Amino acid sequence: MPAPLPHPTTPSAHPRLLSPLDLGPFEVRNRIVMGSMHVGLEDRPGDAKKLAAYLGERARGGAGLIVTGGYSPDRTGRLTPGGAQADARTLRGHRLVTREVHEADGRVLLQLLHAGRYAFHPLSASSRSGKSPISPFRARRLTRRGVGRTVEHFAEAAQRAVAAGYDGVEIMGSEGYLLNQFLAPATNRRRDRWGRGAEGRRALPLAVAAAVREAIGEKALLSYRISLLDLVPGGQTWEETGALARGLVERGVDVLSSGIGWHEARVPTIVTSVPRAAFAENTAALRELVDVPVIASNRIHDPAVAEEVLAAGQADLVSMARPLLADPHLPRKLAEGRAAQVVACISCNQACLDKVFDGKRASCLVNPRAGHETELVLTPVAERRLRKVAVVGAGPAGLEAALAAAERGHIVTLYEATAEIGGQLRLAARIPGKEDYAQALQSWRMRLAAAGVGIRLETRPTGRDLAGFHDVIVATGVAPRVIDLPVEPGGPQVISYADLLEGRAEAGERVAIIGAGGIGVDVAEFLSAPRPSPSLDVTVWKRHWGVVEADEEHRGGVATRPVEEAPREVHLLQRKETRIGAGLGRTTGWVHRAELRHAGVIQHRGVAYRHVDARGLHILEDGEETVLEVDTVVVCAGQVSVDDLAAEVTAARKGRAPRVHVVGGADVAAELDAERAIRQAVEVVAGL
């Protein structure tokens, strides 16, 4: 068994976060909850060993309470045709999961989730017939008998979970799934006992809670994920939410976990542009209504912010799901006084939620081992096999390569041509809404220092300089692509996105952006977003997105977004005829597209670029010659790999050393992909 979490001799900077809490059936060792997050290991019973390794590592890392991804109580409620279901066959293999967590002195709940009309299959059923905006399948209306059977299925599944060794269950009543669908007037217009006013609409969640409580007994924990703010028109009012919360407690719920927003909501709730702890005040309001512990969630990624939430009395525990994906040992590091070495989650969703919504296994951009604990293993090397490793380029791929190599025990030197680490990620941190990317870079700095990596800034090593190393990892990244665009004197200033974001050039009042990929969209937001960034102020951000108090006038807590004056005129152009931003992430792309529309960014598709002269940027659009009268043209037309060093090292080497490995953008520049670059870097290091 692992050693108990250490108690540092100096006072902890997170005394509340690390303090134990009695939840009734048992005590948790700290206030850190790994909230429910589907990772793609839940769906196949054969993946139980991998799931056990994934959750077990979080338990060994010190998480106080772990909640699994959602398991449906029956076939109808599965998220996908082959989705996770808490049936006897599946849960037989989960004794391996619960044993792994318990051997690490952890506690784990199985979440029960009925998808309702969000189910991606023809068996979907809900409070009423109809199709949700995020599923192509039309849900059938549950009959009164069907509703009753659903209650029974929840109870039976909960009983099976406890028999499999789980410490209890969590009922998913948030995010727009079945129980939430019964609660909202927009999706429940029934005239029977399961509808007909607010009391009838909450009858099903209350019946499920009572049945589950009876099924699992008093020695198991019952948590309920409650929607505190639906963020959809026709959602619940706060008064209705409060009545539901009190009813749940009366029926034996031990813990209430905060949920914010339906999946179909047009207000972001978890992406990096959402301010930190943006919805903690909603949890605080819930805490005043009930006498059971409540869990705060959504964009509480920094342990310091989590500590502030607890210190302010806004919650009893804090859900940190994606942060524990990024760093499974976050609680242990806090207890050891190593908060600065916590791997920072940047809420990008690129390798986790985006993957899950594409039917793939989740991982983490800054921790590619997440979800792959049994496959991507960084084995410490024996002293006789220790190698001298040079990593050239301190972008994301180079940073993680250097760190992973040092953690294996190799002697590592990291070279960077500029005065700062970060590469393209450092540029991204300057985009409004991506300020947290800078925290990831600070985390890398601290971890590299702790691992003993030698860092040489403002240094461009030659092949001869690297001849004494056993391995050279070339992570020199990319350079902006130069396009063939004739430019006559006296016209608009033509600059690269790197010059703009680095501060070497400034944009005027009227700007054309050539290229509408991920970087082009970022630059458009950089030029059109309000200043200061709404992401840095919760009040400003809520006004920016139309988030208001959930009352009868604004059910669900949403209002029309206010009109805001854009700081400049921005044109965003692309050669393709497809929708601008179509290639962005599944869970984040819509946010960026909404921001562009809200800022009045003028979008041009199917464009051919002609030339620049004193009149402006000449383009061919819809078969006609057009001139955009702008004073600045920003080129975001892709990147090219910077990989010359690889050939230079190969030419200069003597014998078999050094071995050369090219990773990240230096290997493949198309559509910058930090998740692929970091994963590739770690895979290379694992094979050294």
Side-chain angles (χ1 to χ4, degrees):
M1 291 182 64
L5 289 179
H7 295 282
T9 55
T10 55
S12 171
H14 307 86
R16 295 169 182 83
L17 196 58
L18 296 175
S19 63
L21 179 65
D22 185 356
L23 295 182
F26 53 78
E27 181 181 85
V28 289
R29 57 191 168 187
N30 56 51
R31 310 300 180 95
I32 299 171
V33 179
M34 183 171 186
S36 176
M37 184 175 179
H38 199 85
V39 295
L41 294 173
E42 300 88 350
D43 298 334
R44 296 194 318 123
D47 283 335
K49 184 176 180 180
K50 294 176 182 178
L51 180 63
Y54 164 71
L55 295 181
E57 183 160 351
R58 274 77 196 162
R60 288 188 293 277
L65 180 65
I66 295 172
V67 186
T68 70
Y71 287 79
S72 175
D74 53 34
R75 290 179 62 201
T76 298
R78 289 180 178 184
L79 283 165
T80 61
Q85 182 178 336
D87 54 20
R89 174 171 171 262
T90 298
L91 292 185
R92 267 197 302 271
H94 277 233
R95 284 207 165 274
L96 180 65
V97 177
T98 56
R99 183 169 64 247
E100 188 84 7
V101 172
H102 291 153
E103 286 180 351
D105 199 28
R107 296 288 189 173
V108 60
L109 308 181
L110 182 105
Q111 188 187 74
L112 295 174
L113 181 157
H114 191 299
R117 67 177 194 154
Y118 282 175
F120 208 81
H121 55 74
L123 296 179
S124 62
S126 183
S127 53
R128 57 179 293 206
S129 61
K131 191 167 71 68
S132 83
I134 62 174
S135 173
F137 296 95
R138 183 178 180 84
R140 60 182 172 82
R141 179 184 184 274
L142 279 170
T143 64
R144 281 174 291 183
R145 186 179 177 188
V147 174
R149 282 200 303 267
T150 300
V151 174
E152 294 171 1
H153 294 161
F154 266 97
E156 292 163 359
Q159 197 169 42
R160 285 192 290 268
V162 173
Y166 281 97
D167 297 293
V169 297
E170 177 173 272
I171 299 168
M172 169 52 93
S174 183
E175 268 67 34
Y177 292 115
L178 178 73
L179 301 186
N180 216 170
Q181 292 161 22
F182 266 81
L183 288 163
T187 48
N188 185 355
R189 300 176 186 173
R190 302 175 71 103
R191 305 305 300 169
D192 59 13
R193 59 170 293 206
W194 306 109
R196 257 199 335 255
E199 185 175 352
R201 290 194 296 269
R202 59 179 173 264
L204 177 58
L206 295 178
V208 168
V212 169
R213 174 81 278 170
E214 182 177 359
I216 64 176
E218 296 301 318
K219 293 182 179 180
L221 187 78
L222 176 54
S223 173
Y224 186 96
R225 184 79 180 264
I226 182 171
S227 180
L228 300 186
L229 199 60
D230 291 338
L231 296 177
V232 292
Q236 299 169 90
T237 66
W238 178 249
E239 182 180 356
E240 292 168 355
T241 300
L244 172 65
R246 288 188 290 267
L248 291 168
V249 173
E250 290 171 0
R251 283 156 182 80
V253 168
D254 298 303
V255 178
L256 289 172
S257 182
S258 304
I260 305 292
W262 290 27
H263 285 313
E264 65 196 75
R266 294 294 90 187
V267 176
T269 59
I270 58 172
V271 301
T272 191
S273 60
V274 177
R276 298 178 179 186
F279 304 101
E281 63 180 26
N282 299 88
T283 307
L286 173 67
R287 194 167 184 253
E288 293 180 0
L289 297 178
V290 295
D291 59 359
V292 298
V294 299
I295 305 173
S297 69
N298 291 64
R299 283 289 287 139
I300 306 177
H301 287 61
D302 187 334
V305 174
E307 181 70 20
E308 291 171 3
V309 168
L310 296 176
Q314 294 179 305
D316 300 284
L317 304 101
V318 175
S319 176
M320 303 182 78
R322 287 175 296 169
L324 285 167
L325 196 67
D327 193 338
H329 299 282
L330 181 153
R332 182 175 288 273
K333 288 180 179 178
L334 298 183
E336 293 172 346
R338 297 189 293 133
Q341 296 175 33
V342 168
V343 182
C345 169
I346 57 176
S347 301
C348 65
N349 292 354
Q350 185 175 333
C352 54
L353 296 179
D354 284 351
K355 288 281 196 269
V356 169
F357 279 103
D358 280 337
K360 302 174 183 176
R361 195 194 315 182
S363 187
C364 177
L365 182 143
V366 293
N367 176 22
R369 290 194 63 248
H372 297 77
E373 286 77 12
T374 61
E375 299 142 294
L376 184 52
V377 181
L378 295 176
T379 307
V381 293
E383 187 172 352
R384 61 185 176 81
R385 300 190 64 185
L386 181 148
R387 303 179 71 82
K388 289 179 63 180
V389 180
V391 180
V392 185
L399 291 169
E400 197 59 32
L403 186 62
E407 289 178 342
R408 287 198 65 198
H410 297 300
I411 301 172
V412 184
T413 303
L414 174 64
Y415 295 91
E416 168 55 37
T418 70
E420 298 181 66
I421 68 169
Q424 296 289 314
L425 194 66
R426 178 166 51 85
L427 300 184
R430 296 177 179 171
I431 307 299
K434 293 187 175 181
E435 293 86 358
D436 274 7
Y437 285 25
Q439 188 176 14
L441 295 178
Q442 178 62 13
S443 168
W444 262 308
R445 289 188 192 98
M446 301 304 294
R447 288 181 287 138
L448 288 167
V453 174
I455 302 177
R456 307 286 185 266
L457 298 177
E458 298 183 279
T459 303
R460 294 179 183 271
T462 65
R464 189 180 299 273
D465 296 330
L466 301 171
F469 289 91
H470 295 107
D471 292 270
V472 174
I473 299 176
V474 178
T476 41
V478 299
R481 184 185 300 278
V482 177
I483 63 173
D484 182 15
L485 181 68
V487 179
E488 298 178 11
Q493 179 188 25
V494 180
I495 61 177
S496 75
Y497 71 86
D499 287 336
L500 175 68
L501 297 178
E502 290 276 21
R504 294 188 293 266
E506 293 186 4
E509 297 299 313
R510 293 168 297 163
V511 183
I513 301 170
I514 292 178
I519 291 179
V521 170
D522 273 356
V523 169
E525 290 194 58
F526 177 79
L527 295 172
S528 64
R531 292 293 194 277
S533 169
S535 299
L536 303 178
D537 187 311
V538 173
T539 302
V540 173
W541 180 85
K542 286 185 175 180
R543 183 168 62 248
H544 179 70
W545 279 96
V547 178
V548 296
E549 183 179 349
D551 54 22
E552 284 291 347
E553 183 180 358
H554 299 105
R555 279 190 164 273
V558 284
T560 303
R561 294 183 68 177
V563 177
E564 298 170 344
E565 184 176 352
R568 52 171 58 85
E569 178 185 304
V570 178
H571 297 261
L572 183 57
L573 306 92
Q574 71 175 18
R575 294 181 184 275
K576 297 178 182 178
E577 293 281 0
T578 55
R579 179 179 60 166
I580 284 180
L584 299 177
R586 285 281 298 271
T587 62
T588 56
W590 71 269
V591 181
H592 296 296
R593 291 189 290 269
E595 288 286 55
L596 295 181
R597 290 193 300 269
H598 189 65
V601 172
I602 304 165
Q603 301 181 24
H604 305 259
R605 299 182 294 176
V607 172
Y609 312 114
R610 295 307 196 204
H611 64 277
V612 174
D613 62 15
R615 295 175 58 199
L617 172 63
H618 292 250
I619 62 174
L620 182 67
E621 184 176 16
D622 295 330
E624 297 184 5
E625 293 277 355
T626 304
V627 180
L628 299 180
E629 297 179 357
V630 296
D631 48 40
T632 309
V633 176
V634 183
V635 179
C636 305
Q639 300 80 29
V640 293
S641 295
V642 178
D643 57 0
D644 299 345
L645 183 63
E648 187 180 336
V649 174
T650 301
R653 73 184 180 183
K654 298 178 181 179
R656 298 180 62 186
R659 295 187 301 182
V660 180
H661 317 268
V662 184
V663 301
D667 180 37
V668 178
E671 290 297 323
L672 282 180
D673 186 344
E675 185 261 335
R676 182 198 64 80
I678 291 173
R679 184 184 68 251
Q680 181 188 29
V682 175
E683 288 172 345
V684 165
V685 170
L688 291 182

